[in-house]
Amino acid sequence: MVDQLVRREVVDPIVQRADGDCMLAAVASCTGLDYGHVSQVSRKVLKSPHNSGLWLTELERVVKRLGLRMKVVAPAVVLEDEGHGIVVAKFVRSKPAEYHSLCAFGDGWVIDPLNGLVWRHEVYLSAQSAAHGRTIFQNGILLYESR
């Protein structure tokens, strides 16, 4: 069995539906899976993922239940067109620190699930840093399809 990186020709920006479900919306955007399905599967892992968000260990369990695999990497790996995946932004000056997940696809473009806007990753970081204080990409997550 060979695992292949998730790659899509068309990416449908999925907008999050609650305060904490940016990761779920990013997974749906990156994989082409229905948001409702991703949401339903996530509820089997965590009681209220839409409000609390997902940590990487919880995401790993959700992804496995979706029949996918994931690998945590440096954000640059995902942004350098390695495949479709997720980058996690960290708003450094927030106390406690806040995190936000974005769908990364093709050569440094990201989709913000907050509003469905598509950004160059460096422009996103610059805009968020200006609005919220220093913002960095904390993690990258490559998604794999099992064949």
Side-chain angles (χ1 to χ4, degrees), residues 3 5 23 27 33 39 41 51 59 72 74 84 92-93 104 116 133:
D3 289 332
L5 286 168
M23 182 68 82
V27 168
L33 294 171
S39 174
V41 168
N51 298 324
L59 174 64
V72 179
H84 291 8
V92 177
R93 293 196 178 140

Side-chain angles (χ1 to χ4, degrees), residues 41-96:
V41 168
S42 71
R43 285 191 186 114
K44 293 177 182 176
V45 170
L46 192 64
K47 185 176 181 177
S48 57
H50 304 86
N51 298 324
S52 63
L54 294 173
W55 292 103
L56 291 177
T57 54
E58 295 160 340
L59 174 64
E60 191 167 35
R61 292 178 16 224
V62 170
V63 165
K64 184 176 183 179
R65 286 177 178 256
L66 290 170
L68 304 168
R69 283 188 46 247
M70 65 178 247
K71 181 179 180 183
V72 179
V73 296
V77 173
V78 177
L79 294 168
E80 292 171 356
D81 203 344
E82 289 289 331
H84 291 8
I86 298 165
V87 287
V88 180
K90 179 180 181 181
F91 302 97
V92 177
R93 293 196 178 140
S94 298
K95 299 293 181 212

Side-chain angles (χ1 to χ4, degrees), residues 14-27:
I14 304 298
V15 177
Q16 64 189 78
R17 300 187 178 136
D19 288 339
D21 69 339
C22 57
M23 182 68 82
L24 302 179
V27 168

Side-chain angles (χ1 to χ4, degrees), residues 86-143:
I86 298 165
V87 287
V88 180
K90 179 180 181 181
F91 302 97
V92 177
R93 293 196 178 140
S94 298
K95 299 293 181 212
E98 293 183 31
Y99 300 88
H100 184 57
S101 300
L102 300 102
C103 171
F105 67 98
D107 200 27
W109 291 94
V110 295
I111 300 171
D112 186 350
L114 184 63
N115 49 28
L117 293 177
V118 177
W119 299 76
R120 289 289 306 156
H121 75 278
E122 65 274 5
V123 176
Y124 176 84
L125 287 179
S126 177
Q128 296 306 312
S129 291
H132 304 291
R134 185 167 174 247
T135 303
I136 61 170
F137 287 130
Q138 176 85 18
N139 289 306
I141 301 159
L142 290 174
L143 298 172

